[in-house]
């Protein structure tokens, strides 16, 4: 699925609320691998279920979710993308018969559950349908509409808890970042697949809502603020990245490491564009080396500098150690990844479930803008994440209209990743930073 990360003008000005607990988190089985049969979107699409033409005012759900999905949700078009001219070219370059039949493509562009797990109305061509996110409905499709049914019952029968921050992050990241079983490798990107980039809160807000965050919703499913969604998204992506590095990057059987985990734009820019300069997070890393993508780790540094300054110093030290180890040998890199991973897990347990005040959110936003103005985010991926974070926090604070002009101006410096200028990004950040005090 290819989303425009910067369709910020379509952002829903909502504070997203989701339940979350950082204690004893379960290892959820993702919908693609659950054991319940996937009955297909047609099973949910009738006018007496989720296929109404208009939103219902007499129910605690809208009942037009199928219509929303087919007309506005890009997940519904994910499979069709595999038949495009671009996808045919990618498949040919990879030596695949076709993109729309290849498992590596279907795993993210469709609800590619096992064939013996598909009901009579299931169609792979539906793309990422209801059960691709909510789980196979075999056990709960009938009972979830009963008056006595509750959300706990649905979860017990196999519904996936998309309302839970960590569960949602892991589900989204399984396609928008990757897992050990499916990854848009450097080879796949070399064949023509777009660069993957993800930020949970922005993507959540960009999705056309098919539910209302009202008192009934909160009573049934709990609440979770948009700022916490950003925090959880950063932690989960970093943890996924470090885990996958162990799976792919440290392989001793390959001469060239899996370049998916490196910063694309550190290499992919014109040779005449001399943009290298030292930054605090890459201290001691010389020019001319491929650099691990640390964009999301830098977001956690910016967060902890505000909420846990001592932790920020340790985190940055371990980040620098990983960068230095990456140009020495795999044994040192492996140990550095383990050290950083353990520290991230400890920080996650402390910070992901915290309640953050308005002043704290403002301070984190100010820190991100300030670090941008100082030139700390010289790589496009880091600059991209910093902008998305500031934009998301601004929406959570209900200041989108007030700061729209400044955000628009800053966005312009990121609108074309192939023409990105670190100096230009920093210059605009310095110009607008007073607005974010």
């Amino acid at each position: 699925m290819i989303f425009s990360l910067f369709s910020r003008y379509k952002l829903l000005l909502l504070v997203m609320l989701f339940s979350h607990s950082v204690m004893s988190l379960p290892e959820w089985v993702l919908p693609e691998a659950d054991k319940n049969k996937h009955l297909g979107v047609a099973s949910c699409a009738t006018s007496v279920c989720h296929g109404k033409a208009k939103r219902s005012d007499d129910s605690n759900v809208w009942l037009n979710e199928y219509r929303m999905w087919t007309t506005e949700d890009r997940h519904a078009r994910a499979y069709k993308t595999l038949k495009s001219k671009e996808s045919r070219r990618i498949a040919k370059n990879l030596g695949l018969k076709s993109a729309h039949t290849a498992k590596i493509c279907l795993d993210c562009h469709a609800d590619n559950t096992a064939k013996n797990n598909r009901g009579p109305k299931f169609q792979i061509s539906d793309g990422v349908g209801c059960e691709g996110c909510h789980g196979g409905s075999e056990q709960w499709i009938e009972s979830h509409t009963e008056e006595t049914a509750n959300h706990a019952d649905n979860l017990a029968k196999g519904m996936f808890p998309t309302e839970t921050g960590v569960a949602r992050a892991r589900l989204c990241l399984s396609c928008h970042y990757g897992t050990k079983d499916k990854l848009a490798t450097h080879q796949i990107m070399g064949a023509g697949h777009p660069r993957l980039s993800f930020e949970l809160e922005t993507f959540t807000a960009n999705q056309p809502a098919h539910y209302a965050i009202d008192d009934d919703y909160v009573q049934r499913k709990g609440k979770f603020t948009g700022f916490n969604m950003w925090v959880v998204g950063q932690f989960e992506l970093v943890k996924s990245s470090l885990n996958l590095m162990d799976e792919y990057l440290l392989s001793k059987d390959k001469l060239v490491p899996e370049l998916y985990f490196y910063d694309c734009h550190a290499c992919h820019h014109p040779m005449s564009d001399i943009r290298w300069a030292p930054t605090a997070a890459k201290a001691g890393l010389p020019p001319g080396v491929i650099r691990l993508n640390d964009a999301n780790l830098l977001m956690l540094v910016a967060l902890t500098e505000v909420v846990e300054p001592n932790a920020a110093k340790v985190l940055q030290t371990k980040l620098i150690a990983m960068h230095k180890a990456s140009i020495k040998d795999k044994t040192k890199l492996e140990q550095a990844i383990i050290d950083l991973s353990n520290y991230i897990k400890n920080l996650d347990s402390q910070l992901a479930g915290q309640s953050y005040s308005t002043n704290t959110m403002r301070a984190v936003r100010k820190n991100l803008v300030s670090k941008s103005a100082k030139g700390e985010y010289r790589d496009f991926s880091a600059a991209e994440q910093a902008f998305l974070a500031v934009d998301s926090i601004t929406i959570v604070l209900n200041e989108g209209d007030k700061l729209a002009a400044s955000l628009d101006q800053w966005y312009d410096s990121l609108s074309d990743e192939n023409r990105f200028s670190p100096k230009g990004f920093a210059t605009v950040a310095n110009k607008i930073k007073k607005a974010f005090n």
Side-chain angles (χ1 to χ4, degrees):
M1 291 153 287
I2 304 170
F3 287 82
S4 171
L5 280 181
F6 296 112
S7 55
R8 60 174 300 270
Y9 305 101
K10 297 180 181 179
L11 287 178
L12 304 173
L13 300 181
L14 298 173
V15 177
M16 306 305 292
L17 303 171
F18 296 92
S19 62
H20 171 70
S21 170
V22 297
M23 302 302 291
S24 302
L25 289 173
E27 290 299 322
W28 295 287
V29 176
L30 295 179
E32 64 191 32
D34 66 20
K35 301 303 180 184
N36 287 335
K37 282 192 181 299
H38 290 220
L39 304 181
V41 297
S43 300
C44 309
T46 68
S47 60
V48 295
C49 294
H50 296 285
K52 289 185 179 295
K54 296 181 179 179
R55 174 178 170 179
S56 173
D57 295 325
D58 301 322
S59 173
N60 61 2
V61 295
W62 290 1
L63 299 179
N64 68 338
E65 294 84 0
Y66 172 76
R67 295 297 182 96
M68 292 288 296
W69 175 77
T70 55
T71 58
E72 298 185 38
D73 195 323
R74 297 192 183 196
H75 289 99
R77 304 194 291 275
Y79 177 86
K80 294 177 182 178
T81 299
L82 298 180
K83 292 191 173 184
S84 67
K85 180 180 178 180
E86 292 80 4
S87 293
R88 291 197 298 271
R89 177 172 60 83
I90 293 170
K92 181 179 179 181
N93 290 341
L94 292 172
L96 300 173
K97 182 179 179 181
S98 69
H100 67 275
T101 58
K103 183 179 186 300
I104 187 61
C105 304
L106 289 173
D107 279 349
C108 284
H109 284 262
D111 180 15
N112 197 26
T113 190
K115 289 185 178 179
N116 62 0
N117 210 33
R118 302 175 183 181
K121 294 182 180 180
F122 180 93
Q123 296 185 94
I124 194 71
S125 59
D126 284 331
V128 182
C130 315
E131 293 160 299
C133 294
H134 295 291
S137 63
E138 178 185 19
Q139 300 298 323
W140 50 263
I141 192 167
E142 294 184 4
S143 62
H144 84 292
T145 62
E146 296 174 356
E147 290 186 8
T148 57
N150 58 51
H151 190 57
D153 293 334
N154 296 332
L155 296 180
K157 293 177 180 179
M159 183 180 284
F160 191 78
T162 55
E163 76 285 346
T164 303
V166 175
R168 175 181 287 246
R170 292 178 186 176
L171 172 62
C172 297
L173 288 170
S174 69
C175 282
H176 290 284
Y177 186 77
T179 69
K180 66 182 183 66
D181 299 315
K182 55 182 183 182
L183 189 74
T185 62
H186 190 257
Q187 180 184 18
I188 292 174
M189 287 190 286
H193 193 286
R195 175 184 68 96
L196 292 183
S197 184
F198 183 77
E199 196 280 286
L200 182 63
E201 169 59 9
T202 299
F203 272 58
T204 295
N206 265 321
Q207 273 299 100
H210 56 274
Y211 50 83
I213 307 297
D214 52 19
D215 291 341
D216 172 76
Y217 182 100
V218 173
Q219 183 179 6
R220 289 184 292 118
K221 298 183 177 182
K223 65 179 181 179
F224 196 82
T225 70
F227 185 79
N228 284 86
M229 186 64 78
W230 174 73
V231 173
V232 167
Q234 298 298 327
F235 271 112
E236 289 303 315
L237 199 151
V238 166
K239 289 191 292 183
S240 292
S241 177
L242 294 173
N243 287 336
L244 288 173
M245 283 184 192
D246 185 59
E247 185 77 23
Y248 286 91
L249 189 60
L250 299 174
S251 171
K252 295 179 173 59
D253 300 325
K254 295 182 179 179
L255 176 63
V256 178
E258 175 50 65
L259 296 175
Y260 175 85
F261 300 99
Y262 290 82
D263 193 315
C264 299
H265 300 90
C267 298
H268 291 283
H269 63 79
M271 295 293 288
S272 59
D273 180 6
I274 309 299
R275 63 173 62 176
W276 183 87
T279 63
K282 298 181 178 69
L285 197 65
V289 299
I290 57 174
R291 301 194 298 273
L292 291 170
N293 187 341
D294 61 0
N296 300 93
L297 278 159
L298 293 180
M299 298 304 99
L300 293 181
V301 170
L303 170 69
T304 52
E305 283 175 339
V306 173
V307 300
E308 292 286 348
N310 291 331
K313 294 176 183 178
V314 177
L315 179 58
Q316 182 140 306
T317 297
K318 292 184 179 296
L319 173 57
I320 292 171
M322 183 179 73
H323 278 306
K324 288 182 176 179
S326 72
I327 60 175
K328 292 182 179 179
D329 61 63
K330 288 185 176 179
T331 300
K332 288 184 173 60
L333 177 57
E334 181 177 21
Q335 188 56 55
I337 290 173
I338 291 172
D339 289 346
L340 183 54
S341 181
N342 288 336
Y343 195 69
I344 287 293
K345 290 175 183 176
N346 180 56
L347 270 181
D348 181 29
S349 67
Q350 297 177 46
L351 301 182
Q354 276 193 21
S355 177
Y356 294 94
S357 68
T358 296
N359 287 339
T360 298
M361 288 187 274
R362 291 185 190 281
V364 173
R365 183 178 66 177
K366 181 179 179 180
N367 193 34
L368 286 162
V369 177
S370 177
K371 291 171 77 71
S372 298
K374 292 176 182 176
E376 283 298 311
Y377 304 138
R378 299 190 60 78
D379 299 315
F380 179 83
S381 56
E384 176 183 61
Q385 287 292 325
F387 171 82
L388 292 176
V390 171
D391 196 22
S392 293
I393 295 170
T394 299
I395 291 170
V396 171
L397 294 171
N398 293 316
E399 295 178 349
D401 291 339
K402 172 185 172 183
L403 296 170
S406 294
L407 287 168
D408 290 347
Q409 186 177 357
W410 204 18
Y411 164 76
D412 286 342
S413 69
L414 287 165
S415 58
D416 185 347
E417 63 184 271
N418 298 311
R419 299 177 181 273
F420 172 69
S421 164
K423 182 178 179 181
F425 180 75
T427 298
V428 177
N430 191 58
K431 183 177 179 180
I432 66 174
K433 66 180 182 181
K434 288 184 179 179
F436 293 93
N437 286 335

